[in-house]
Amino acid sequence: MATYDSIDEANAAVAQKIIDAQPRLVDVVPAKTVIPALEGRVVLHAGPPIAFEDMPDPVQGAAIGAALFEGWASDEASARQVCSEEVQFAPNNDFNAVGAMGGILSGNIPVFVVENGTDGNRAYTSMHEGEGKVLRFGVYDRSVGDHLVWMRDVLGAGLSEALKLFPDGGLAINPILAQGVAMGDDFHVRITAASSLLFRELAPKLARVGMPQEQLEPVLDFLSGNVNFFLTLGMAAGKATLDAAAGVHAGSVVTCMTRNGREFAIRVSGLGDRWFTGPEEKLDTLYFPGFSDADACPDCGDSAIIEAYGFGGLVAVAAPAVQQLVGTGEGGFADALATSEEQSEIVVADNPNMPIPNWDFHGVPVGIDIRKVVSTGIAPLITTAVMHKQAGIGMVGIGKVRASMPCFTSALEALAEARGVEPTG
Amino acid sequence: MRYSIVKPNTYQDSLRLMQLSNTLDDADGVDRVSIMMGTSANREILRGAGLDTADLDGAGPTDLVIVADVADAAAGERLVAKVDEFLTHRAPAAGGSRLRSARSLERAVDIVGGANLAIVSIPGEFVASEVHRLLDRKIHAFVFSDNVSISDELALKRRARECGLLVMGPDCGTGLVRGLPLAFANVVHEGRIGLVGASGTGLQEVMAHIDRLGGGVSHAIGLGGRDLSAEVGGITCLQALRALDTDVGTDVVVLVGKPPAARVREEVLGVAGALSKPVVAMLLGERTEADVAADICYPRTLEEAARVAVELAGTRSSRRIALRPEQRWIKALYTGGTLAAEAAALLGDSLGPAGDADRRAGFLFRSDGHEVIDLGDDVYTRGRPHPMIDPAVRTARIAAVMDDPENAVLLLDVVLGHGAHPDPAGVLAAVIGDGLAGLHARGRDLAVVASVCGTEGDPQSASAQTRTLERAGVAVLPSNAAAVRYAVAILRRRGASPVATSATPEPIRRLLAEPPRIVNIGLRGFAENLLQMGAQVVQYDWRPVAGGDRRLQSLIDALS
């Protein structure tokens, strides 16, 4: 392992890993084929470790849905009991995986396989199911299971074949990110451009893999109709990239941010797999008609990996749609610019391969430094979908939320301890 | 040779790449260059342009392709380096109407492209650590804050001196760098008078009077109220005096302050007296025996300090004249008898007693080549009008004065009022303008110094006459006495030895010589003022590190 003379030097190496990473979508397979732990009665979830009983209702609902989908139970009551008594829950992040909202992942759910060309490491995530009745919002009726079966057996199998037609055996993700951020995506709450670009890549290949017409049509309809399909792929690209960056094993850069609906948590490059947790900050949400704060589930999901990766709230300036979210209405672009300029205070580098045109081609901010967060008091800003606190209702709005500051201060304390630094004062 | 590089999976917008290709087309050693994404259409374009290379076959639509004809491999490598440099973000030049702000010093410094001056107005207890951070980054500090301990002040100033940097203050209320007002400052014209002072209303009063008298200020370097104390020892004052002596924009140095501690006084005045430039020292509450001692002028009031400084430096519209060694004499051609007599008396005081002035020829003063002639004397007015009415008597003599290569200064009076010529300045300006043009054409020059005896109410208007003269290249001082003293100062400056003080540290030289790039830490209004003045300035919205948590601060320091 390389050694570094200073934290700054180590952080520069971490940032370079992030900049240099070459994430590539190489396959779509049932999760258990790439995460062997999922052969057993194991279910992965978003955020730091949490017991089934402590999960927010929609996350419990998703877990119940997974138990039904896996055939561990045949009705809700027994599925709840299985989840409560038999299923072993573990964080996605401990298995190179990430998941949106509750992030529930079980063995037969199909996952994107993203491989980082520079380090060869892989990351996994379930595919975006679309909107409405979907598992990630805690819906577990028969239609959800049927949709998952279709995603595995038709969509997933088709994509797996299609991906083999790409030269180098996969679809490079950096070019989509670089174009998407210039086209107004933040990849967390605005993913339209990237989803379109992804469709543009996939559709002609899907047309060549020999799927029957009656299968190909719904696949293409689903992909063209789902403007958020790229969401989890961006997350997995971030996971593959940041896992490689964590391999530097030094420095003070955030390599993971996530939340389980109860706690916010981070990991830091120089502190291995330790979780540093803190209470969640309150969401500031733009609600769909008819919903209010009283309906919102606390912030949840591994999708804050997007911000750890440098996108989301950090690139508010790039996303015209997000300006409406970060601004106070009047502020608009100026507020979005101020947000990105503020957020760029807490990172160690910019990614020159991903310039943001309306930010004078400033690169995407890279590498959140916990020292800078604590020193400036600027917490990373996360843009996020907000779901209903009851299982089965779904998304109620789009919000913004600050990362939990105690995560960063306790990580700083731990880093000082690891380096034998004694506090004074 | 053909040079090509493929950067895989590097997307850049095509318009930006076209702009980049054009920029690099005339780079050194590059015959032609094209930078494109490797789409099949683009590859065809490259092939069509004769920029074919084996690399092209392997390039895909998401790969950045650079193809060039270059002189050698080194030129190709330089080209790629330039591409990388272009594609790496650089902060745009500051300016424009929007005040940019930052929440950390690093980012603030970055926004102005490397700051070299900070204005600090944060609570005193945080000043020392913040100014140390500035000194770490080679940034001069103007410290408006008070409540900084004298031991911290001494430590900061000592460290600044070692680094060749200035710490102005603490408790520094006003300052001016290259015409840019710092903190509480009056808007004064730029000029050649440099000031050093404790920095408060003393500096403001002197600057305001200088401006009112037609003079201008190069810089005003504030010291803070304790710099001249025995504890601090005048560290910043000594740095500032030496810096202004070597500053090309400064001709005269004014020192304003309360009386220093005895030991400090000796050192400060020792350094001041040894400067190559004239020094005016206004040490309040201190009475010196003489007006001038050891080459330092000692005025009694702040207003007098301003007046003396303007008489030494000239007004802001005075031209700078490079006298040659043989240019030694003042030639004064007066139309007013008493004005001429005053000039004669003042020149006698300065240049030594007059020789045998020839009353019949209207000479009021003659010493070596210096002359004061009263053209209103009977010798000149017999059978013709007084020169106040008919300027021809004087204008006829101006050409000869200008032609004489030994003359350094042409000194004039311009008398206005009822009965006087309707436009005496206009007549003089025509002759002087032509004369100076002729001299300049021959690579020579001469100072023309005048005063205008008149009021705004006069038919000719004093200010209009002044402007006419100034446009012709005449230095117009606020009074006859001032004009005479300025004429003497011009001669004296010619005699001054070149700068002998040790070289000014480069960071200080640059602070005074180049537009400063300023970080304003604290009171936002200071930055907004500077922005309006067109300065490069960024607001650093300072907050205590880690919200003021000492324990976390110590950890951050230890982990930096």
Side-chain angles (χ1 to χ4, degrees):
Chain A
M1 196 197 314
T3 58
Y4 302 91
D5 287 340
S6 68
I7 293 178
D8 285 343
E9 221 175 86
N11 287 351
V14 174
Q16 201 58 48
K17 279 272 190 192
I18 299 174
I19 292 167
D20 291 343
Q22 293 289 346
R24 198 182 291 271
L25 173 59
V26 295
D27 208 351
V28 177
V29 294
K32 64 185 179 190
T33 65
V34 284
I35 304 174
L38 294 178
E39 293 280 4
R41 288 205 170 180
V42 173
V43 169
L44 303 183
H45 63 79
I50 187 171
F52 176 73
E53 285 70 24
D54 296 330
M55 290 174 178
D57 194 50
V59 186
Q60 287 186 354
I64 290 165
L68 293 168
F69 177 67
E70 296 296 334
W72 300 333
S74 53
D75 59 56
E76 182 202 333
S78 56
R80 187 175 289 276
Q81 194 179 354
V82 165
C83 285
S84 184
E85 294 170 4
E86 293 176 37
V87 172
Q88 197 186 337
F89 287 94
N92 281 308
N93 273 287
D94 288 348
F95 295 88
N96 309 109
V98 280
M101 303 316 290
I104 292 298
L105 184 61
S106 62
N108 284 297
I109 294 176
V111 290
F112 284 134
V113 179
V114 171
E115 186 170 294
N116 177 8
T118 47
D119 285 58
N121 63 304
R122 289 182 159 199
Y124 315 104
T125 186
S126 55
M127 290 189 288
H128 194 279
E129 306 158 80
E131 305 304 327
K133 288 189 169 186
V134 289
L135 190 71
R136 71 178 186 285
F137 293 135
V139 187
Y140 45 80
D141 67 19
R142 187 179 182 84
S143 68
V144 172
D146 290 348
H147 186 51
L148 284 174
V149 168
W150 175 82
M151 286 181 77
R152 181 189 63 199
D153 296 343
V154 180
L155 174 66
L159 286 174
S160 180
E161 290 304 311
L163 288 166
K164 294 190 177 88
L165 301 180
F166 284 89
D168 309 324
L171 167 62
I173 295 174
N174 283 350
I176 295 181
L177 292 169
Q179 291 174 85
V181 79
M183 292 165 77
D185 280 355
D186 78 330
F187 307 116
H188 200 164
V189 295
R190 186 58 50 154
I191 317 126
T192 312
S195 299
S196 306
L197 293 166
L198 181 62
F199 180 77
R200 195 169 153 262
E201 297 289 342
L202 293 176
K205 299 290 193 293
L206 284 165
R208 286 191 187 89
V209 296
M211 293 173 85
Q213 186 72 10
E214 66 273 19
Q215 288 188 356
L216 179 62
E217 279 176 17
V219 163
L220 293 178
D221 285 345
F222 173 77
L223 291 178
S224 75
N226 185 352
V227 294
N228 295 324
F229 189 66
F230 184 82
L231 171 71
T232 59
L233 189 50
M235 289 165 56
K239 180 63 179 167
T241 296
L242 291 168
D243 277 355
V248 168
H249 294 299
S252 57
V253 169
V254 172
T255 53
C256 179
M257 291 201 291
T258 183
R259 56 274 202 239
N260 60 20
R262 298 286 179 241
E263 283 184 312
F264 196 99
I266 65 169
R267 281 174 169 166
V268 176
S269 59
L271 295 166
D273 284 346
R274 280 178 67 180
W275 288 114
F276 298 94
T277 61
E280 294 194 346
E281 293 289 321
K282 195 177 170 302
L283 280 157
D284 180 1
T285 307
L286 284 175
Y287 286 101
F288 299 153
F291 296 107
S292 72
D293 279 346
D295 302 305
C297 178
D299 192 27
C300 195
D302 291 325
S303 58
I305 194 91
I306 291 289
E307 276 79 10
Y309 196 12
F311 300 102
L314 280 70
V315 296
V317 65
V322 178
Q323 288 165 23
Q324 299 161 53
L325 187 63
V326 298
T328 50
E330 304 268 322
F333 178 74
D335 284 351
L337 176 61
T339 298
S340 287
E341 294 213 330
E342 182 215 60
Q343 294 284 298
S344 66
E345 303 252 12
I346 55 172
V347 301
V348 298
D350 305 330
N351 186 345
N353 300 329
M354 304 214 180
I356 298 175
N358 61 352
W359 200 7
D360 295 318
F361 294 95
H362 191 298
V364 165
V366 167
I368 295 169
D369 183 346
I370 60 167
R371 297 173 307 168
K372 293 185 175 188
V373 172
V374 175
S375 175
T376 60
I378 300 171
L381 180 75
I382 293 149
T383 54
T384 185
V386 180
M387 64 178 166
H388 200 282
K389 65 184 179 185
Q390 284 170 13
I393 296 177
M395 195 167 148
V396 293
I398 293 184
K400 57 180 174 175
V401 64
R402 290 280 176 176
S404 172
M405 192 55 91
C407 302
F408 298 88
T409 51
S410 59
L412 187 82
E413 298 266 5
L415 188 65
E417 199 185 320
R419 295 177 70 92
V421 170
E422 292 289 330
T424 58
Chain B
M1 60 175 280
R2 179 62 44 84
Y3 193 88
S4 65
I5 289 258
V6 175
K7 287 171 164 274
N9 292 327
T10 302
Y11 169 81
Q12 294 282 349
D13 180 79
S14 60
L15 277 171
R16 193 157 186 242
L17 293 179
M18 286 158 70
Q19 185 197 13
L20 174 58
S21 300
N22 286 341
T23 306
L24 295 175
D25 221 357
D26 37 76
D28 203 15
V30 175
D31 194 27
R32 58 182 181 149
V33 57
S34 193
I35 304 165
M36 299 182 111
M37 298 307 298
T39 62
S40 58
N42 285 344
R43 282 181 281 150
E44 277 316 300
I45 290 172
L46 288 170
R47 289 201 179 93
L51 284 166
D52 203 352
T53 139
D55 280 351
L56 276 184
D57 298 319
T62 60
D63 303 330
L64 183 74
V65 182
I66 305 170
V67 189
D69 283 329
V70 293
D72 50 35
E77 280 161 26
R78 285 199 303 275
L79 179 70
V80 172
K82 278 184 178 164
V83 170
D84 288 342
E85 192 193 357
F86 182 94
L87 295 178
T88 300
H89 171 73
R90 286 179 308 280
S97 57
R98 195 172 66 88
L99 177 61
R100 297 186 70 190
S101 62
R103 284 269 294 275
S104 65
L105 181 59
E106 287 66 29
R107 179 145 175 85
V109 167
D110 199 39
I111 285 174
V112 284
N116 68 336
L117 173 63
I119 302 172
V120 181
S121 56
I122 59 177
E125 58 179 307
F126 299 106
V127 165
S129 61
E130 203 63 30
V131 173
H132 275 301
R133 295 212 295 151
L134 294 171
L135 298 178
D136 289 343
R137 292 162 179 78
K138 301 284 176 219
I139 298 172
H140 303 283
F142 176 98
V143 183
F144 179 82
S145 313
D146 54 8
N147 291 317
V148 177
S149 74
I150 196 158
S151 57
D152 278 341
E153 175 173 353
L154 182 59
L156 289 171
K157 287 186 167 179
R158 279 187 173 153
R159 192 169 162 225
R161 183 175 56 192
E162 279 168 28
C163 309
L165 296 166
L166 290 175
V167 169
M168 296 170 264
D171 201 10
C172 194
T174 189
L176 191 109
V177 175
R178 293 174 51 89
L180 292 174
L182 307 179
F184 284 40
N186 301 100
V187 177
V188 295
H189 288 88
E190 275 196 82
R192 297 190 215 115
I193 301 170
L195 294 94
V196 179
S199 181
T201 51
L203 275 183
Q204 285 188 272
E205 174 82 347
V206 175
M207 284 197 279
H209 275 291
I210 287 171
D211 191 78
R212 204 173 296 166
L213 290 166
V217 177
S218 55
H219 315 283
I221 301 177
L223 308 174
R226 293 184 307 219
D227 190 68
L228 297 175
S229 66
E231 291 95 323
V232 182
I235 291 175
T236 308
C237 182
L238 295 171
Q239 287 179 292
L241 289 172
R242 292 185 171 116
L244 289 176
D245 201 35
T246 52
D247 174 46
V248 291
T250 300
D251 285 351
V252 172
V253 177
V254 179
L255 173 63
V256 186
K258 296 169 187 136
R263 185 175 54 77
V264 180
R265 180 186 194 283
E266 201 175 314
E267 189 173 9
V268 166
L269 294 181
V271 167
L275 298 188
S276 66
K277 292 174 184 174
V279 176
V280 181
M282 172 63 212
L283 298 170
L284 279 165
E286 179 168 90
R287 293 201 65 87
T288 48
E289 295 299 313
D291 289 345
V292 178
D295 290 333
I296 302 176
C297 302
Y298 291 97
R300 302 274 190 247
T301 63
L302 297 165
E303 178 210 24
E304 192 186 347
R307 185 176 58 69
V308 172
V310 172
E311 288 171 5
L312 289 166
T315 64
R316 51 186 178 259
S317 31
S318 307
R319 292 180 302 125
R320 257 184 172 155
I321 316 280
L323 294 179
R324 295 189 298 188
E326 67 272 21
Q327 288 186 274
R328 282 170 293 171
W329 315 126
I330 296 171
K331 289 291 196 302
L333 299 177
Y334 274 74
T335 59
T338 310
L339 291 173
E342 183 185 44
L346 289 171
L347 287 182
D349 287 349
S350 303
L351 304 171
D356 50 341
D358 185 346
R359 281 293 298 171
R360 281 170 307 166
F363 284 99
L364 293 187
F365 180 83
R366 192 173 218 177
S367 171
D368 296 328
H370 303 298
E371 291 176 359
V372 178
I373 303 176
D374 173 15
L375 295 168
D377 190 279
D378 294 349
V379 183
Y380 301 105
T381 56
R382 199 164 293 141
R384 52 193 308 176
H386 191 278
M388 283 187 208
I389 300 162
D390 177 6
V393 176
R394 179 157 66 178
T395 48
R397 290 167 180 270
I398 285 176
V401 170
M402 291 180 120
D403 273 347
D404 185 340
E406 293 192 357
N407 286 336
V409 182
L410 169 61
L411 181 62
L412 304 166
D413 63 343
V414 179
V415 183
L416 312 182
H418 289 296
H421 187 275
D423 182 18
V427 176
L428 280 171
V431 176
I432 291 166
D434 288 350
L436 286 176
L439 284 182
H440 294 164
R442 284 175 279 159
R444 288 172 48 195
D445 203 356
L446 169 128
V448 185
V449 180
S451 65
V452 174
C453 176
T455 70
E456 278 310 283
D458 286 334
Q460 302 89 344
S461 168
S463 61
Q465 293 282 295
T466 299
R467 276 199 301 279
T468 301
L469 291 167
E470 285 178 343
R471 276 199 293 269
V474 180
V476 182
L477 276 287
S479 71
N480 181 51
V484 176
R485 293 203 189 96
Y486 178 52
V488 173
I490 292 172
L491 287 195
R492 289 247 165 89
R493 187 165 316 135
R494 188 192 52 122
S497 53
V499 175
T501 47
S502 56
T504 298
E506 182 64 8
I508 298 180
R509 187 195 69 73
R510 294 184 65 158
L511 176 69
L512 302 184
E514 297 169 7
R517 296 175 305 282
I518 304 170
V519 176
N520 185 55
I521 309 176
L523 297 173
R524 196 178 177 89
F526 293 162
E528 282 162 357
N529 294 342
L530 285 164
L531 191 72
Q532 279 179 4
M533 301 285 292
Q536 293 184 61
V537 60
V538 59
Q539 172 69 14
Y540 166 19
D541 288 328
W542 180 90
R543 292 166 209 208
V545 169
D549 184 322
R550 299 277 181 198
R551 178 189 163 83
L552 290 174
Q553 281 173 6
S554 74
L555 292 181
I556 288 165
D557 286 345
L559 294 172
S560 290

